[in-house]
Amino acid sequence: MKNSPIFIAFLQVIGVVAYILTFTFTVNYVSGIFGDSDLGPPMVGMSFFLLAFVTSALICSSLVLGYPLYLFLNNEKRKAVMLVLWSAFWFVLILLLITGELLLL
């Protein structure tokens, strides 16, 4: 069964959103456990931030660009480009929905 690029892009974006929500809830929960306690020198916090950022970039790019890269390398360039464009569309739509929700609060 072949799925459309629209649906595949939607699933990829939902995977990224699920990862982001899981990460933010986890960091929020862990920071609630530690509270305002001193976690050491600022270098530890900066190192955590940068490592988390790079790891998140790797995970998110793998989720969104892995399959299009596979398609591109197998000479399905049009489908690969369509997947990336549809992913961008879904990201913008979800961002607008979240922004709209925040404005209503």
Side-chain angles (χ1 to χ4, degrees):
M1 178 173 79
K2 285 196 160 193
N3 292 317
S4 70
I6 299 169
F7 184 66
I8 294 170
F10 177 74
L11 291 178
Q12 290 173 337
V13 169
I14 291 300
V16 171
V17 171
Y19 166 73
I20 291 170
L21 291 175
T22 302
F23 181 80
T24 54
F25 285 134
T26 303
V27 169
N28 192 33
Y29 177 74
V30 170
S31 68
I33 290 173
F34 289 111
D36 289 334
S37 66
D38 185 20
L39 297 177
M43 189 171 177
V44 173
M46 289 187 287
S47 297
F48 172 78
F49 170 76
L50 289 173
L51 286 170
F53 178 75
V54 170
T55 304
S56 292
L58 176 65
I59 291 170
C60 293
S61 64
S62 296
L63 284 170
V64 174
L65 299 175
Y67 186 56
L69 178 62
Y70 170 80
L71 291 173
F72 190 84
L73 294 175
N74 285 314
N75 292 324
E76 294 186 53
K77 293 174 176 64
R78 179 168 162 55
K79 188 173 181 182
V81 170
M82 291 305 296
L83 268 174
V84 172
L85 293 175
W86 276 110
S87 293
F89 168 79
W90 288 118
F91 274 124
V92 169
L93 183 64
I94 290 172
L95 179 65
L96 291 174
L97 290 173
I98 290 172
T99 304
E101 280 295 317
L102 291 175
L103 291 175
L104 293 175
L105 292 178

